[in-house]
Amino acid sequence: MTTRAELRAEKSRRPLLRSFRFWIPVGLLLLLLVLAVAGLLIGKPIYDRAMSARSSLEQAIPLATTAKDQILAGDSEGAKATAAQLATLTADAREQTDDGMWKSLEWVPFVGPNLHAVRTAAVVTDDLVTGALTPATNLSLKALTPVDGAINIAAITDMQTAVTQAADAVDKAATDLDGIDREALIPQVGGALTQLTDAVDEMQPLLGPAKDIIGVLPAALGADGPRNYLTIFQNNAESRGTGGNPAAIVMLTADQGKISITQQASSADFNNGRETPIIDLDPETVAIYGDKIGRYVQDTTMSPEFSETAEIIRAFWAESFGTPVDAVVSFDPVALSYLLKATGPVTVPAEVDVDGYTVQIVDQPVELTADNAVPYLLNQVYSEIKEPVLQDAFFAMAAGTIFDAVTSGSADPKALLTSLTEAIDEGRLMYVPSDPAEAELVGDTRLSGTLPSTNESETLLGVYINDITEGKLDYYMQLDIAASSTQCESDSPVFSTTATLANMLKPADVDGLANYISPGRFFPKGVVSTDLVIYGPVGATLSSVTVDGTAVNAPTFTHMGRPAVKVNIENPPSAAHSVTAEFTAAEGEYGPLSVRHTPMVRDVPLVLDSPDCPAS
């Protein structure tokens, strides 16, 4: 059963900017029905007022859409003008329901509570327009857009005032709505009021964090001193739990709003193959992934818990370079292609500086677009560049070129926001700050790369891929996932996950593969060996495991309070295998079923089969 508190928690986990809908005039359409009902209950005087309010609100509805579009387009002046018209109309509706005649009838049995509810709803709607929408017109994505490589910190500070006003308005609306006695309301009024309350409930957990995040942005952008962000680029062609082999690493430094690349490294720049892990590791992590997760930089991303990866990466960086790290960021080539949708094509130079020497990597400069970036960076480059060190150097240079395009301010702000949101949703952009206050703001959202510690807001299943082939064959791997649950049908619910891995490489193309893509040293050329780890809900137990429908004995583990099972799959070209794991959970409350998985090169189709739980 999903409670309102759980729904609020779930909504708070959604990517903030994508769900930031406080500009929508909540309740306008609902009040049209409610006001008409009020008029029918009382008679012509009140009915005339209700119809006058209704007329104002009907005119307001299209303006609300216009204001939203103008805000998203960065047309602040246009949005302000539209908001002013909207405020006039909602103020009229408020005036029609907020006079002495209306209030004097609120004591009448049966009718009174409904009139009071209608008046409160009208007041709340007007307050949301004036207190939340109007301040929102001062917000602009352009304020977050770099100009000549720098973001205007003062503009962000000004944004905090507008967000604070909006958050306070929504908090007041929630308080006013909570004060209504709903027992005596007729269904039409009660139902509309519930929808209005639900909408406010959706806004409330978004605006609070927004206020906090904008509050810390100036410091994060170096207002109080330089901030260093260690950025790893995970290569999805060689899968690891949270993405891929982190072969290219870049230090981004923010100072007074200006963001620049200050250091670059590849996996070869660290002490790999050490006898013991660089830091003490979680024994549960070692049981599943081995201690190589702390002995090789290339394997630091094997666990789905990115906060642990960040700690290990920091230690490797400190040992080799010593530069302070304020946060660890993860990105991948697919996410870079999303950024190219916002920036447009970029040209990567043919030459790169390596240890003070200019080295020509490719015959001519390479133009990267949103369409060709992934196939080039994760496949074609290995045919054109033979040396691994130069491959990593080119990859870092490509990432830097795209970064320069983003920080130049030429990218479309709305498209850039969409790209970043998509990357977060897919687990391709993760962020683990060192500062405890910032870490608390990130929480266990998808941005943090941390799995939820309970099943309250969502019942999460996990499917994670670790390639052990040696090479870059995961460019050809297709992952499909199907998951189901009986959480609303059984006291001891069963959760099932089926992961199907298919090698899309054609046998006829094997001989033409670049040696670095498939060396054929540990496995025959073209064969992909994958360690597949499937996680169940928190507190559940593994019931069974099958491979292609046949039961198998597979090692079972506990990690982060979850059961996990590890199965190795070998896929020759054009082969596929399916692994199904079933978990049984104890009786209790379970949030909506969801699945997280390793971000792959190819899209991952996901099918969820979970009957809707009745609202509590």
Side-chain angles (χ1 to χ4, degrees), residues 281-546:
L281 300 174
D282 182 349
E284 291 185 350
T285 302
V286 173
I288 304 177
Y289 304 103
D291 67 357
K292 63 181 180 179
I293 196 171
R295 296 192 298 113
Y296 294 86
V297 163
Q298 299 96 315
D299 292 321
T300 55
T301 52
M302 294 181 72
S303 168
E305 184 68 9
F306 186 67
S307 60
E308 187 173 21
T309 294
E311 186 179 359
I312 301 170
I313 287 284
R314 282 193 185 100
F316 271 106
W317 185 267
E319 179 183 72
S320 296
F321 297 98
T323 313
V325 175
D326 294 295
V328 177
V329 183
S330 175
F331 225 57
D332 70 14
V334 180
L336 288 176
S337 74
Y338 295 163
L339 293 181
L340 287 169
K341 295 177 184 178
T343 65
V346 300
T347 300
V348 184
E351 299 176 340
V352 63
D353 182 82
V354 179
D355 297 329
Y357 296 93
T358 299
V359 178
Q360 183 164 348
I361 299 181
V362 288
D363 293 336
Q364 58 185 2
V366 177
E367 183 181 68
L368 294 180
T369 69
D371 294 326
N372 75 3
V374 170
Y376 189 88
L377 294 174
L378 294 181
N379 189 257
Q380 186 178 342
V381 69
Y382 302 117
S383 297
E384 297 188 11
I385 305 174
K386 307 301 181 182
E387 293 295 325
V389 173
L390 295 183
Q391 292 166 359
D392 292 343
F394 181 84
F395 187 80
M397 187 165 58
T401 302
I402 296 172
F403 167 79
D404 288 342
V406 171
T407 57
S408 70
S410 60
D412 175 70
K414 185 178 179 181
L416 184 60
L417 172 61
T418 299
S419 298
L420 293 174
T421 299
E422 189 174 8
I424 293 172
D425 284 351
E426 296 177 4
R428 303 183 187 279
L429 171 57
M430 294 175 286
Y431 175 80
V432 177
S434 301
D435 181 71
E438 289 184 26
E440 185 177 353
L441 288 177
V442 176
D444 62 356
T445 62
R446 192 68 192 266
L447 181 62
S448 72
T450 298
L451 273 62
S453 58
T454 71
N455 302 313
E456 293 178 1
S457 61
E458 61 178 322
T459 305
L460 180 70
L461 306 176
V463 177
Y464 297 98
I465 307 297
N466 278 290
D467 178 89
I468 64 170
T469 311
E470 184 193 43
K472 299 293 183 287
L473 282 168
D474 283 314
Y475 177 80
Y476 301 97
M477 293 301 289
Q478 175 66 53
L479 173 64
D480 292 70
I481 301 174
S484 64
S485 80
T486 62
Q487 64 196 80
C488 298
E489 301 171 341
S490 172
D491 291 337
S492 297
V494 173
F495 297 87
S496 177
T497 305
T498 297
T500 301
L501 272 173
N503 185 348
M504 307 303 288
L505 178 66
K506 297 178 181 179
D509 295 334
V510 172
D511 290 341
L513 292 175
N515 186 64
Y516 198 67
I517 292 177
S518 184
R521 184 162 63 152
F522 299 111
F523 299 89
K525 199 173 183 71
V527 173
V528 183
S529 181
T530 304
D531 279 344
L532 174 66
V533 183
I534 300 179
Y535 285 78
V538 173
T541 56
L542 179 70
S543 304
S544 65
V545 184
T546 63

Side-chain angles (χ1 to χ4, degrees), residues 37 63 162 168 184 231 236 258 265 268 286 351 386 404 473 517 564 583 600:
V37 170
L63 292 177
D168 290 346
T231 306
N236 313 93
K258 186 174 181 62
V286 173
E351 299 176 340
K386 307 301 181 182
D404 288 342
L473 282 168
I517 292 177
F583 304 89
M600 306 292 285

